[in-house]
Amino acid sequence: MTATETTLLHAAHAVDADTVTDDGWILIDGDTIRAVGSGPQAPAADRSVDLGDATLVPGFIDLHGHGGAHGAYDNSADEIHAALAMHRRHGTTRTVLSLVANTIDTLARSLDTIRAVMAEDPLVLGAHLEGPFLSAYNHGAHEPGFLLDPSREHVNALLAAGSGVLRQVTIAPELDGALEAVRHIAANGVIAAVGHTAATADVAAAAFEAGATILTHAFHAMPGIHHRQPGPIMAAVADEGSPRRPASPSSATSEGSIPNCPLIRTSAPRRVSGSRHASTGSRTARSRNSSGYFLRAPMTLIIPLSESVHQTRGGTALGVGRSSAVDRG
């Protein structure tokens, strides 16, 4: 495809931020999506591709994966490229590369490798340090011997090593110095996330107030939801920073009850999201009730679809099928 050639993709179904459309089409001009629509009145193009009964979805944006194709993002550039190729065959078009807990020197070397990969591959968005600032009580697959408290020295060392590369740091907010670390990480333009934690709802809420905006793989490696101990999940759902917070309360009170919260929201509030995939192909309309809640509680919270679509419409972020990832955390 040349920079001036237009291509019209036509499929039985197309998914966008608002709905699933039948008889959908997408007009691509070079590497840019120029128009989307449905029905027989599609624009002319240099070539047309009929995808039959396929479903067109915006490309998956993988915010949390550790590798694939027998390789890990912690290792060599060759392993990273092999893993990315595998995921892209299944619809992932943008990727944040997650690293497991390790020594600061080892993490710095991995960040240097990712920096080199990013220089030649603009679809790699950066790196996520899932460790080392995790709870020893909820470390999951992370090696406990590599876990550290988030001291200013440790945080500054990793921020410096990740300059221009680091996009997210997961942190257990109950650790010594964690809330100050959250503020410092966010102030340096890096997303702070709550995860691998034993935190109470109050401690998690303090982390969100300090600037954390993501709940790393919600429900996994953290306390669950209990009527007396709502935990970090409900702290994320109840976060006051969201302009989209529902009028009917879904907050956890200091006593631990959850008033008028029948189900978990289909998407996290705008300020706090808990997602492993920002998959714009995730559609749940058939499972919602009139209030916008799941009829069955989901196992993860997902980033609002409109934000993901906005990121993918500017390029060739098209995916057909489902993305998978190796989550070692």
Side-chain angles (χ1 to χ4, degrees), residues 72-81 97 99 106-120 124 127 161 165:
Y73 295 147
D74 312 76
N75 298 334
S76 68
D78 287 343
E79 287 193 27
I80 292 174
H81 287 306
L97 309 185
L99 304 176
T106 300
L107 290 171
R109 287 193 293 272
S110 293
L111 290 167
D112 278 341
T113 301
I114 293 172
R115 181 178 289 105
V117 170
M118 290 175 66
E120 58 189 54
V124 175
V165 175

Side-chain angles (χ1 to χ4, degrees), residues 198-222:
T200 64
D202 287 344
V203 172
F208 297 134
E209 186 63 31
T213 54
I214 287 180
L215 190 64
T216 296
H217 46 51
F219 289 87
H220 176 63
M222 65 184 62

Side-chain angles (χ1 to χ4, degrees), residues 12-16 18-22 55 283 285-286:
H13 313 284
V15 174
D16 64 14
D18 302 312
T19 188
V20 178
T21 302
D22 294 331
T55 297
R283 298 295 301 176
R286 295 177 184 174

Side-chain angles (χ1 to χ4, degrees), residues 175-261:
L175 298 178
D176 288 344
L179 295 182
E180 177 56 33
V182 166
R183 284 187 281 268
H184 188 51
I185 289 165
N188 278 271
V190 176
I191 293 170
V194 171
H196 282 276
T197 177
T200 64
D202 287 344
V203 172
F208 297 134
E209 186 63 31
T213 54
I214 287 180
L215 190 64
T216 296
H217 46 51
F219 289 87
H220 176 63
M222 65 184 62
I225 299 174
H226 186 274
H227 66 289
R228 295 187 185 278
Q229 297 174 330
I233 300 159
M234 293 311 300
V237 174
D239 180 68
E240 292 284 358
S242 170
R244 299 174 10 141
R245 190 174 183 220
S248 59
S250 60
S251 60
T253 68
S254 59
E255 293 77 27
S257 62
I258 306 173
N260 301 321
C261 182

Side-chain angles (χ1 to χ4, degrees), residues 234-324:
M234 293 311 300
V237 174
D239 180 68
E240 292 284 358
S242 170
R244 299 174 10 141
R245 190 174 183 220
S248 59
S250 60
S251 60
T253 68
S254 59
E255 293 77 27
S257 62
I258 306 173
N260 301 321
C261 182
L263 301 159
I264 303 300
R265 288 184 53 150
T266 58
S267 62
R270 188 171 298 276
R271 195 171 92 173
V272 181
S273 300
S275 175
R276 181 159 164 264
H277 278 270
S279 168
T280 57
S282 297
R283 298 295 301 176
T284 56
R286 295 177 184 174
S287 298
R288 294 179 187 171
N289 67 9
S290 60
S291 299
Y293 291 84
F294 273 108
L295 299 181
R296 294 178 300 278
M299 289 306 294
T300 58
L301 304 173
I302 60 173
I303 281 178
L305 297 177
S306 59
E307 296 182 5
S308 298
V309 170
H310 177 74
Q311 294 180 60
T312 58
R313 276 191 175 165
T316 57
L318 300 173
V320 178
R322 179 179 179 182
S323 175
S324 59

